[in-house]
Amino acid sequence: MGGRWTDDEILAEISKRTWYHKIQLRPGIATPGLKILEPLWESTRKSRAHINYAGKRVLDIASFDGMWAFEAEQLGASLVVATDCMQPLYSNFELCKDILGSKVIPMYNVSPYNLWEGLKVLLMDDFTVPLPFPQQIRHNLFDIVQHTGLLYHVRDPLWTLRKRAASSRQADICFWRPPASWTTTNQK
């Protein structure tokens, strides 16, 4: 996986970019990410530690650089789709995907308000178990939806939650992360 990059090439490339997430690319090499958010990320990892990703279909909404999507894949997910409305972030995601040799499917430049429309095509194209429409879509829905870092950016958070619900099975797992400002305390 990702064998064509030398360590020096990776370090040179990640130093040219601005990073939000800290993504482990190789032992001892990670994108820098925002250090202030590391405790929040560790808290999220602890809260999802009981979730079994093996063989699951995962949707990562508001993927940004792709940290949570790549981690889901490394935890054994059979399919991971990373979405974000920010097209400029795609180059960081694509770099990490290439270095990691990842199979995560990117859906960038897709608004969370139009997410379901984009996912319908993807969900119809997976014919591992051929079924007629609309059973094909229902069969291919996601088992886990990672909905981190989005709700506090949109005008209608309930709308995005409804779109998330439309893309997942009834017994799915969804986790979301509150903004960093919700988890900090004012100490005097």
Side-chain angles (χ1 to χ4, degrees), residues 100-117:
L100 293 169
S102 172
K103 294 181 181 177
V104 172
I105 299 170
M107 282 186 60
Y108 279 65
N109 208 25
V110 176
S111 163
Y113 297 109
N114 300 323
L115 183 58
W116 175 239
E117 287 73 23

Side-chain angles (χ1 to χ4, degrees), residues 7-106:
D7 290 354
D8 289 339
E9 289 171 330
I10 294 170
L11 292 169
E13 191 60 40
I14 64 176
S15 70
K16 297 176 191 175
R17 300 164 183 251
T18 301
W19 295 90
Y20 180 80
H21 287 133
K22 183 176 183 177
I23 302 170
Q24 194 69 40
L25 299 172
R26 292 220 174 122
I29 300 178
T31 60
L34 298 177
K35 289 199 181 296
I36 194 169
L37 295 177
E38 286 183 25
L40 191 58
W41 296 334
E42 284 309 310
S43 175
T44 301
R45 286 184 185 99
K46 286 178 187 173
S47 69
R48 70 165 193 184
H50 70 283
I51 300 171
N52 180 6
Y53 279 78
K56 302 288 195 239
R57 300 168 61 85
V58 178
L59 175 63
D60 187 39
I61 301 174
S63 197
F64 217 83
D65 295 330
M67 178 177 73
W68 300 115
F70 297 128
E71 287 186 16
E73 182 180 51
Q74 292 161 1
L75 290 169
S78 62
L79 172 77
V80 181
V81 177
T83 71
D84 206 295
C85 64
M86 302 281 289
Q87 179 65 24
L89 303 172
Y90 180 67
S91 64
N92 282 1
F93 172 89
E94 192 60 34
L95 173 68
C96 293
K97 180 179 174 175
D98 188 45
I99 292 169
L100 293 169
S102 172
K103 294 181 181 177
V104 172
I105 299 170

Side-chain angles (χ1 to χ4, degrees), residues 57 116 123 137-143 166-169:
R57 300 168 61 85
W116 175 239
L123 296 173
I137 290 177
R138 283 197 291 275
H139 174 78
N140 291 331
L141 292 175
F142 295 95
D143 302 298
S167 65
S168 59
R169 301 175 196 275

Side-chain angles (χ1 to χ4, degrees), residues 143-155:
D143 302 298
I144 300 172
V145 178
Q146 303 180 146
H147 203 271
T148 63
L150 174 67
L151 293 180
Y152 44 89
H153 289 295
V154 294
R155 285 187 189 152

